[in-house]
Amino acid sequence: YMRACLYENLRELMLKNLFEKITIKQICDATGVIRATFYNYFDDKYDCLNWIVHTDLLGDKQAMVTGNFDLFINSAFNNIEKNREFYRAAYNVTGQNSFEDMIRSNLSDAIIQFFDENRKMDYLPAYSNEILARYYAEGFAFIIRQFVFDSTGASVSSYRRMVFDLLNHSFSDYVARR
């Protein structure tokens, strides 16, 4: 519960302030706790931000337990849509601990877990689960960024469809044969 209070207050602070200007003290003041409490849950504010990403993208435990990729995608997009202004602000966190890297890393971890539990081992065995997860995480992260900054009002379901259309087909499916 306390972890959630801390990261939700960081989320709220980011709607009004640049991430670089937010201090641990501000997060603690907004939560009504002392700094030591913050450090019981997070290493620093980047760790706290990463926990938001982790919770929003991977928070649907049913999807994770059952390996239901469709439920996983739906849950992630619904959480992003609900917090779109936060995501728009968070993409300004760049550099060594960039927000976009946090998204890719969390997606990669989730996809590795899916592959570890559900992969057909006889299909392209030359490629490790880690390589495949990183590849698909890059594509999914690109689609998430498109969704966050979409100004057309496209729905969660249209972006969900995009994930499946783009990630489920190979490059050669898009090329006319001569």
Side-chain angles (χ1 to χ4, degrees):
Y1 172 76
M2 181 55 65
R3 181 185 305 268
C5 289
L6 289 162
Y7 71 67
E8 286 301 335
N9 282 315
L10 173 59
R11 187 190 310 260
E12 287 299 314
L13 287 166
M14 286 179 65
L15 294 174
K16 302 174 196 124
N17 306 287
L18 290 173
F19 179 77
E20 294 76 21
K21 304 283 186 194
I22 297 171
T23 65
I24 303 299
K25 181 178 180 342
Q26 288 173 307
I27 299 167
C28 291
D29 288 349
T31 311
V33 298
I34 60 172
R35 288 174 66 90
T37 303
F38 179 89
Y39 290 112
N40 284 336
Y41 295 95
F42 303 107
D43 295 335
D44 55 27
K45 67 182 182 178
Y46 291 95
D47 186 31
C48 188
L49 179 60
N50 188 60
W51 196 258
I52 295 171
V53 173
H54 178 82
T55 303
D56 284 357
L57 297 184
L58 313 179
D60 189 324
K61 298 301 181 204
Q62 181 184 359
M64 296 304 291
V65 169
T66 63
N68 185 333
F69 199 67
D70 189 51
L71 185 59
F72 164 70
I73 299 292
N74 247 11
S75 176
F77 276 119
N78 284 329
N79 286 333
I80 293 165
E81 181 178 50
K82 183 173 66 175
N83 297 292
R84 190 179 300 241
E85 290 310 310
F86 160 77
Y87 275 82
R88 286 181 176 159
Y91 271 103
N92 290 316
V93 178
T94 59
Q96 185 177 1
N97 295 309
S98 78
F99 182 73
E100 204 154 6
D101 285 345
M102 291 176 195
I103 288 178
R104 280 192 290 270
S105 176
N106 277 281
L107 289 171
S108 183
D109 290 347
I111 295 168
I112 285 172
Q113 183 178 343
F114 280 124
F115 281 144
D116 285 348
E117 296 171 12
N118 301 296
R119 182 169 178 199
K120 296 184 263 181
M121 293 314 293
D122 59 336
Y123 188 73
L124 296 173
Y127 304 105
S128 70
N129 289 352
E130 289 77 19
I131 292 291
L132 292 170
R134 287 178 58 201
Y135 175 79
Y136 286 107
E138 287 288 335
F140 190 17
F142 169 80
I143 295 168
I144 287 172
R145 185 178 179 84
Q146 292 297 116
F147 179 67
V148 167
F149 291 102
D150 183 296
S151 60
T152 67
S155 67
V156 166
S157 63
S158 66
Y159 273 90
R160 187 182 137 284
R161 178 78 263 140
M162 184 188 296
V163 168
F164 286 102
D165 286 348
L166 298 180
L167 299 183
N168 284 337
H169 296 280
S170 72
F171 182 81
S172 62
D173 291 338
Y174 298 101
V175 179
R177 308 258 183 210
R178 293 185 190 233

